[in-house]
Amino acid sequence: MKFIAHRGLRTDEYKENTLLAFQNAIKSEIMSGFEFDIRQTKDKKYVVNHNMFIKGNLIKHQTLKKLKKEYHLPSLNDVLKLNTDKIMLVEVKDSKLNYRKFVKIINHYQDKNIYIMSFHNKVINKLKKYKIKAKLGILNYILNTEEDYDYDFICLLNNLTTKEIIDCYHRKNIEVFMYGVLNEEKDLFYQNVYYIVDEEPN
């Protein structure tokens, strides 16, 4: 069974999308990696945060320096510098990026085990054209009717996924991640997928 810590391995002490939560996932013997969200800042840099707002302020209207100083948000670089060969699953939240800057950052860490995904198909398509040194995938593609899925992995919503769908992607050598997992026994029975979970399974 393979698990990815959703926004890091959180505890009462380690909040989501923080370096401490990511380091906790790295130390875990159960976790194969961790997932985190990034957003583009006013100065075209990348900060780790799930929501588009922080304390009522839009992330995209703030500089990285301000976000780090006032809200203690880590940058993408801060996370990629962590010493690990575990999966770093990056969810790109924005539909528009400065692609050259983003690709330059990722390619600088090409020795790391980086996977990049987004709900925005066009973001992943563009990253592929830039020859980014990371694995690429799309979230929730099960809702799309296209059959020519040409990426390294896919992230599917748990309650819409079947063994037949998983087998179909595996036949094409596409890795499968699943989210929306509630850690219930009925959710955790596929041996050949990565489960994105909010806590360490028992």
Side-chain angles (χ1 to χ4, degrees):
M1 204 70 75
K2 299 181 286 190
F3 300 104
I4 303 293
H6 185 219
R7 304 180 200 167
L9 187 53
R10 298 170 272 171
T11 65
D12 291 338
E13 184 180 0
Y14 303 151
K15 303 303 180 188
E16 68 176 35
N17 274 329
T18 61
L19 292 178
L20 288 174
F22 304 146
Q23 289 165 336
N24 199 28
I26 290 169
K27 290 186 293 185
S28 168
E29 295 181 0
I30 295 176
M31 294 297 170
S32 298
F34 58 90
E35 181 266 356
F36 61 100
D37 310 289
I38 62 159
R39 293 187 176 276
Q40 186 168 269
T41 63
K42 180 181 179 180
D43 47 348
K44 309 301 182 188
K45 297 181 180 178
Y46 299 95
V47 71
V48 177
N49 202 60
H50 178 264
N51 297 327
M52 67 176 65
F53 290 92
I54 180 130
K55 303 295 184 182
N57 297 310
L58 276 168
I59 295 284
K60 67 180 182 179
H61 292 164
Q62 315 300 315
T63 64
L64 178 62
K65 183 177 180 180
K66 180 179 179 180
L67 291 165
K68 291 186 74 168
K69 183 178 180 181
E70 294 191 14
Y71 306 111
H72 310 292
L73 300 184
S75 69
L76 174 60
N77 272 305
D78 291 333
V79 181
L80 297 181
K81 286 177 184 175
L82 292 173
N83 184 22
T84 182
D85 58 0
K86 289 189 174 184
I87 291 172
M88 296 180 173
L89 179 58
V90 184
E91 182 181 344
V92 177
K93 287 294 190 181
D94 295 303
S95 59
K96 296 180 181 178
L97 298 177
N98 183 313
Y99 288 95
R100 291 189 187 280
K101 281 192 173 183
F102 182 73
V103 171
K104 186 176 180 180
I105 292 170
I106 297 298
N107 287 353
H108 180 73
Y109 297 95
Q110 60 184 283
D111 59 319
K112 298 295 179 77
N113 197 6
I114 303 171
Y115 288 58
I116 301 171
M117 65 181 180
S118 180
F119 281 107
H120 306 292
N121 296 29
K122 65 180 182 179
V123 168
I124 301 303
N125 289 335
K126 195 105 180 242
L127 289 174
K128 187 169 185 180
K129 290 179 181 178
Y130 273 85
K131 301 186 185 305
I132 195 166
K133 305 296 185 183
K135 293 189 176 183
L136 299 175
I138 293 173
L139 279 134
N140 239 11
Y141 206 80
I142 190 172
L143 302 179
N144 195 311
T145 57
E146 295 179 35
E147 294 182 2
D148 57 341
Y149 188 84
D150 190 25
Y151 302 99
D152 303 296
F153 71 98
I154 190 161
C155 190
L156 302 172
L157 186 59
N158 178 57
N159 61 9
L160 295 178
T161 305
T162 65
K163 184 178 184 301
E164 289 72 25
I165 291 170
I166 292 171
D167 289 345
C168 177
Y169 285 111
H170 281 157
R171 283 195 296 272
K172 299 177 183 180
N173 294 316
I174 295 167
E175 294 178 271
V176 176
F177 289 71
M178 288 174 59
Y179 75 104
V181 178
L182 300 177
N183 285 31
E184 297 176 2
E185 186 175 347
K186 66 180 181 62
D187 288 328
L188 306 173
F189 57 88
Y190 297 122
Q191 297 293 319
N192 51 356
V193 303
Y194 288 100
Y195 288 99
I196 301 174
V197 295
D198 287 324
E199 59 188 39
E200 273 191 340
N202 297 324

